[in-house]
Amino acid sequence: MPFFWVSIHKDILMKKIYYPYDEFRDDLKTLTQKIDVEFDAILAVARGGLSMAQMLGEFYNIREVYAINTIGYEETQKLETLKVFNIPHLATSSNILIVDDIVDSGDTLKAVLSTLKSRYPDKFFYTASLFYKPTAIIKPDWYVKIADDWIEFFWSEDLR
């Protein structure tokens, strides 16, 4: 995976790693081999989980593919408050797979799960991500890789 350094403050350098489509596709295949429960809906945490949700929906032949929105970062800076909005209507689903590209601090996943469980206490929620940082406050049910650096996903970079 190619990488580059970027300055986030005048004295701090952060390593950023580019994550290309081919690696994403291969990792998504690996993720499907790890997921060992049946689910009837997929919920993407937008925007990072959208590409995953669309492809997993095709793979599992599930048409109930939804998105929920959160705002927790501005560029590489974590914001003080996390917003969860655009909560989908999940009344016809029982087992929902929540997908996101990375569980970094875990704040987003925790807030999404809390919001959904309070609105839908009778539903079962499972979580999956491509990357997981062990320092996160919550661990997804399934993930593919441990992340140590900032990941620049192809969907954020390739049209620039």
Side-chain angles (χ1 to χ4, degrees):
M1 209 182 313
F3 70 90
F4 52 96
W5 295 96
V6 64
S7 177
I8 56 172
H9 296 278
K10 63 182 178 178
D11 299 327
I12 300 172
L13 285 177
M14 180 190 334
K15 185 177 174 185
K16 287 187 172 184
I17 299 176
Y18 175 72
Y19 186 68
Y21 171 77
D22 290 346
E23 193 169 346
F24 164 76
R25 181 197 59 230
D26 294 346
D27 288 346
L28 208 52
K29 287 179 183 179
T30 299
L31 187 62
T32 64
Q33 294 167 1
K34 291 183 172 200
I35 296 172
D36 58 356
V37 299
E38 290 188 24
F39 49 91
D40 52 10
I42 301 170
L43 178 59
V45 177
R47 296 178 308 220
L50 291 171
S51 297
M52 293 174 64
Q54 187 272 327
M55 289 182 75
L56 290 172
E58 292 287 340
F59 178 81
Y60 289 108
N61 195 27
I62 292 177
R63 294 193 178 271
E64 290 75 23
V65 178
Y66 306 99
I68 190 168
N69 293 87
T70 64
I71 299 175
Y73 280 87
E74 185 67 43
E75 298 294 325
T76 60
Q77 289 297 111
K78 187 175 179 183
L79 302 176
E80 288 185 32
T81 60
L82 178 71
K83 298 177 188 173
V84 178
F85 58 101
N86 192 31
I87 301 162
H89 184 67
L90 299 171
T92 61
S93 302
S94 299
N95 299 310
I96 298 105
L97 178 66
I98 302 168
V99 297
D100 203 359
D101 53 359
I102 185 168
V103 176
D104 190 336
S105 67
D107 293 341
T108 299
L109 184 57
K110 185 176 179 181
V112 166
L113 280 168
S114 176
T115 300
L116 292 170
K117 287 178 180 180
S118 68
R119 184 166 292 188
Y120 300 105
D122 60 330
K123 309 295 181 189
F124 294 97
F125 296 98
Y126 304 96
T127 58
S129 67
L130 295 170
F131 290 92
Y132 162 68
K133 288 189 177 180
T135 55
I137 60 173
I138 189 170
K139 185 177 182 179
D141 294 309
W142 304 280
Y143 65 93
V144 179
K145 295 179 175 175
I146 297 289
D148 295 319
D149 303 300
W150 187 269
I151 310 298
E152 291 288 349
F153 295 92
F154 71 91
W155 52 78
S156 298
E157 296 298 312
D158 286 2
L159 292 181
R160 291 179 191 232

